Amino acid sequence: MDFDVFELGDVRLQGGATLRQAKLAYKTYGELNGDKSNAIVYPTWYSGQHYDNEWLIGEGMALDPSRYFIIIPNMLGNGLSSSPSNTPPPHDRARFPDVTIHDNVRLQHRLVTEQFGIERLELVTGWSMGAAQTYQWALSHPEMVRRMLPFCGAAKTSVHNIVFLEGVKAALTADAAWNGGWYDAQPTTGLRALARVYAGWGFSQQFYREKCYESEPLDYGSLEDFLVGYWEALFLQRDANNLLTMLWTWQNADLGATPGYAGIEEALAGIRAESIIMPGQQDLYFPPEDNEWEVARIPGAELRVIPGAWGHFAGGGMNPVDTAVIDGALKEL
């Protein structure tokens, strides 16, 4: 096991359910200094686990473990932290309760403060659903978070994004083997269908028009090779109920639902961290205009668009050009 587990005990979730014997899986990189002033939190994304974030960590990069203590907390539902696939009855499988972005960050805050005694974070950053957690950290804990850089994500999931996710959900649950979430073996037909729905949105029209999947760094032999070898392979590794749990979290992401705030505009105005917001130029989930609207409402925030054809996956760590752009902005921040 290449990660640690923080035992949370029984946790009352934002929706009212109690998640019993909750646990948060996490991994750290680097050493916490004497005055605990060099900590960074870098949450995970939809279906991702801590090792999927490691591409942005390294010597000479902004997230340099020789300088910073980097904590990657695994999101609830991702198979390592409390999830449908690893929770005992009565909250196992289809009975796993709905969890929000706010729930995730509240438990991550316990990890950071109770396990490590950290009172100040130099930075919170993340991709996609990790970006949503980044916004939540900055709003919920303004006294802690000095800087934030969410990339390819948003503070509130748009209606268009919700509709896309309805297609993903329908593809998975149409498989009879899914059985309302009470399957004994993974519904592989549904997972393959989910992967192909996802494939059309993860990258841009230009990416497919120019057949970027046939070039380095991907280097697949054909479109079908890419759909099977990358997309189906990615989601066949996942548990269906875990994916549906995280999908609910994604669809219901709304910084404006934070207790004490009357909607998204008031919540954005409450962020105090020094902020750079980085959308992908052709991201079909989180288009730059959505982040433009947010930046206009976050005091002192700056918009930096990641150029190119990689769409949402400009933030996925596979394209060295995009990685350099993100790392450069992190260094400046």
Side-chain angles (χ1 to χ4, degrees):
M1 189 169 74
D2 72 335
F3 58 91
D4 294 300
V5 175
F6 181 55
E7 300 290 346
L8 294 153
D10 295 347
V11 171
R12 184 67 55 85
L13 299 172
Q14 192 175 15
T18 299
L19 181 58
R20 304 193 183 279
Q21 302 173 38
K23 61 184 181 181
L24 197 65
Y26 67 94
K27 187 168 182 178
T28 64
Y29 306 76
E31 300 293 333
L32 189 61
N33 61 15
D35 60 3
K36 301 184 178 182
S37 63
N38 68 332
I40 289 171
V41 171
Y42 178 23
T44 58
W45 41 273
Y46 182 71
S47 87
Q49 299 178 342
H50 58 272
Y51 54 83
D52 295 305
N53 278 13
E54 292 177 340
W55 59 272
L56 197 54
I57 298 171
E59 184 178 353
M61 301 183 76
L63 274 58
D64 188 335
S66 70
R67 297 182 60 197
Y68 294 106
F69 180 64
I70 303 151
I71 306 167
I72 301 183
N74 285 272
M75 215 168 57
L76 295 170
N78 83 341
L80 299 182
S81 293
S82 288
S83 304
S85 62
N86 63 21
T87 297
H91 286 137
D92 61 319
R93 299 188 287 172
R95 284 294 189 198
F96 193 80
D98 294 331
V99 295
T100 64
I101 294 293
H102 185 270
D103 290 325
N104 275 280
V105 170
R106 182 165 56 90
L107 301 186
Q108 292 168 20
H109 179 261
R110 285 186 54 190
L111 167 69
V112 169
T113 57
E114 295 174 21
Q115 182 75 358
F116 297 110
I118 294 168
E119 298 179 353
R120 187 80 163 171
L121 295 172
E122 285 296 294
L123 170 76
V124 182
T125 190
W127 175 47
S128 196
M129 288 186 77
Q133 293 165 80
T134 299
Y135 285 99
Q136 189 69 64
W137 259 105
L139 179 66
S140 294
H141 304 288
E143 77 290 350
M144 288 187 70
V145 180
R146 293 188 64 187
R147 306 170 182 88
M148 75 164 191
L149 195 155
F151 53 99
C152 302
K156 180 178 180 178
T157 301
S158 70
V159 175
H160 185 252
N161 202 332
I162 290 169
V163 172
F164 150 69
L165 290 167
E166 283 298 307
V168 170
K169 180 167 60 178
L172 175 57
T173 58
D175 185 349
W178 177 63
N179 192 32
W182 298 105
Y183 47 85
D184 294 316
Q186 292 297 324
T188 55
T189 298
L191 289 168
R192 290 179 188 275
L194 176 153
R196 287 180 178 249
V197 173
Y198 219 100
W201 292 76
F203 295 92
S204 73
Q205 292 94 337
Q206 180 186 350
F207 177 91
Y208 284 105
R209 184 170 59 248
E210 296 179 358
K211 300 184 178 180
C212 295
Y213 50 83
E214 293 183 356
S215 305
E216 294 290 343
L218 294 173
D219 199 26
Y220 285 90
S222 65
L223 177 60
E224 183 66 12
D225 188 30
F226 179 52
L227 293 175
V228 174
Y230 179 76
W231 286 106
E232 291 188 15
L234 173 66
F235 285 107
L236 285 170
Q237 300 174 54
R238 312 308 193 199
D239 174 86
N241 281 326
N242 291 353
L243 291 172
L244 291 168
T245 287
M246 289 181 286
L247 189 149
W248 190 96
T249 304
W250 182 351
Q251 284 189 312
N252 290 275
D254 181 3
L255 192 69
T258 302
Y261 291 88
I264 186 65
E265 294 197 50
E266 185 177 311
L268 290 168
I271 292 175
R272 295 291 175 262
E274 187 177 352
S275 307
I276 297 177
I277 316 298
M278 298 193 76
Q281 185 178 31
Q282 299 186 58
D283 193 330
L284 301 177
Y285 305 155
F286 306 102
E289 54 265 36
D290 288 357
N291 288 145
E292 288 173 11
W293 186 89
E294 294 173 349
V295 165
R297 288 157 176 80
I298 300 173
E302 178 185 351
L303 185 76
R304 298 259 191 109
V305 179
I306 307 168
W310 279 59
H312 186 61
F313 275 70
M318 293 181 291
N319 182 11
V321 175
D322 295 329
T323 298
V325 171
I326 296 165
D327 183 58
L330 282 165
K331 285 176 177 173
E332 288 186 43
L333 186 60

